[in-house]
Amino acid sequence: MGLCKKIIRMRIELLLKIASQYNTPAYVYDAQRIKEQYQKLQQAFKSLPYRIHYAMKANENIAVLKLMHDLGLGIDAVSPNEIARALQVGFAAKDIVYTPSCPDFEELKYAFDNGIHVHIGAVEYLEFILENYPETAIGLRINPGNSIGGNQKIATAHQNSKFGIPVSQLDQIQAYISRGLQIDSLHLHTGSDVKSWQDLARSVDTVFDFAKHFEHLKYIDLGSGFKVKYQENDPEIDLESYANYIEQKLKLFPYNIQLKFEPGKYLVSESGVLLTKVNVVKQGFQKRFVGVNSGFHHLIRPMYYDAYHEIVNLSNPQGAKQIYDVVGQLCEEDTFAYDRALNEVKAGDILAILNAGAYGYSLSSDYNLRAKPKKYLLDGDEVREV
């Protein structure tokens, strides 16, 4: 599992050195693991006409973005500031797609004026586009109305989701097309951390059926949803079966189109760890608490999504296992793990919270006026602040 296992096993001393030399809390990202995840996608999708656009909301770090640029990926942006950062890093406007959620008209104007291809997720914006950018082709983000398994907080293609244009609104879209609106692409995103490729395939069925109503599409963007393993017994999505299914859909489609995928978490999650120091081991009425110098202001996923992140005691990796709640130092209920078996912990130990490369720092805040972690890129044995 990349840095989440390999580096923990092989580079404990290096991570401890980073914690000592640069202090904690700190995010450490492994460039090699990102490359390996991209290679997995290349292998799985090799028979498809595709392009990968990195969903930079997962980790917007400039060093990570430069790595994606060097690998030849495009960018999926969801805000004007993300567009600006991608352009700053060196991505060309043609390599960026913009898929905002409920944007202000000025945000759309910024994207159009910078030559960024826009995916629109509500018919209520189509009049603005027809009036102000009648010569500019757009994409439509559609909502297939498909329910999936997994965490519903990150399911984005069901009938009660705010995302995308419901496929039931096809008549309204066609009315705008009859007035001159230009549509050259379709987009969907089923959700994040989807456990089964069959869940994704149902959305693929819907978007390909929907696509038959549009002439001369350049591409269909299928988003992502590719699951990563947070625990050893977690299922992994069968990318090859998913790719084979899509290939069969393409063969039946009436004309040639390209595909886009927009992985974020899949590329960067396993590349990252959050290093944090134990401030205190505290005895409660019935529980022992490991209090660390971090909190949900640095990694909100456990509190917001009930997400599991493995935690390793780097300072005592062979110690006897004991049961703890691992908690942060915010003036809130602030828990990374409940009833977690860890190698015996004492004050001053360094813990590594794994699978923290996605939606960690990008969702962080300075709540309680506590500083955000510093970030470091590990490239081979080279460590540099980013």
Side-chain angles (χ1 to χ4, degrees), residues 212-225:
K212 294 174 184 177
H213 298 282
F214 301 85
E215 295 183 356
H216 310 303
L217 292 177
K218 292 182 178 178
Y219 68 81
I220 294 177
D221 188 329
L222 297 175
S224 179

Side-chain angles (χ1 to χ4, degrees), residues 43-48 197 238-251:
Q43 177 62 30
F45 297 145
K46 61 185 178 182
S47 63
L48 301 176
W197 72 265
D238 185 346
L239 287 174
E240 291 191 0
S241 292
Y242 182 47
N244 290 336
Y245 188 84
I246 296 170
E247 185 176 11
Q248 297 308 309
K249 302 293 289 190
L250 284 173
K251 289 178 179 178

Side-chain angles (χ1 to χ4, degrees), residues 37-47 50 71:
Q37 290 296 94
Y38 178 48
Q39 289 165 1
K40 286 183 180 180
L41 294 177
Q42 288 180 303
Q43 177 62 30
F45 297 145
K46 61 185 178 182
S47 63
Y50 76 97
L71 290 172

Side-chain angles (χ1 to χ4, degrees), residues 147-221:
S147 297
I148 61 171
N151 192 324
Q152 293 306 297
K153 287 185 177 180
I154 46 180
T156 56
H158 55 84
Q159 291 189 2
N160 294 320
S161 173
K162 72 170 185 175
F163 294 101
I165 299 173
V167 291
S168 59
Q169 295 178 3
L170 175 62
D171 288 347
Q172 296 177 56
I173 296 168
Q174 289 177 324
Y176 281 103
I177 293 174
S178 70
R179 293 171 54 198
L181 184 71
Q182 299 183 50
I183 307 297
D184 70 356
S185 51
L186 296 177
H187 171 284
L188 70 79
H189 178 59
T190 301
S192 297
D193 214 36
V194 180
K195 293 182 179 180
S196 165
W197 72 265
Q198 288 90 344
D199 276 345
L200 296 177
R202 288 200 302 275
S203 292
V204 170
D205 289 343
T206 303
V207 74
F208 270 86
D209 287 342
F210 196 75
K212 294 174 184 177
H213 298 282
F214 301 85
E215 295 183 356
H216 310 303
L217 292 177
K218 292 182 178 178
Y219 68 81
I220 294 177
D221 188 329

Side-chain angles (χ1 to χ4, degrees), residues 265-285:
K265 182 190 296 183
Y266 186 85
L267 289 169
V268 297
S269 179
E270 293 182 3
S271 77
V273 297
L274 174 60
L275 300 179
T276 184
K277 180 176 70 70
V278 176
N279 289 334
V280 64
V281 179
K282 172 184 175 179
Q283 182 63 52
F285 284 104

Side-chain angles (χ1 to χ4, degrees), residues 296-368:
F296 70 63
H297 59 314
H298 296 160
L299 181 63
I300 199 172
R301 297 188 76 256
M303 290 298 293
Y304 188 56
Y305 294 125
D306 297 321
Y308 179 96
H309 286 260
E310 187 172 350
I311 301 174
V312 176
N313 185 354
L314 300 180
S315 302
N316 186 24
Q318 303 301 323
K321 291 290 183 73
Q322 299 192 30
I323 303 298
Y324 307 94
D325 280 12
V326 180
V327 299
Q329 59 180 351
L330 295 178
C331 190
E332 296 282 351
E333 241 350 276
D334 180 19
T335 303
F336 288 114
Y338 296 95
D339 300 320
R340 186 68 63 86
L342 300 175
N343 302 109
E344 185 177 8
V345 181
K346 64 180 185 301
D349 282 354
I350 301 299
L351 305 185
I353 302 176
L354 310 188
N355 266 42
Y359 303 103
Y361 191 91
S362 64
L363 285 172
S364 65
S365 72
D366 58 1
Y367 184 57
N368 286 178

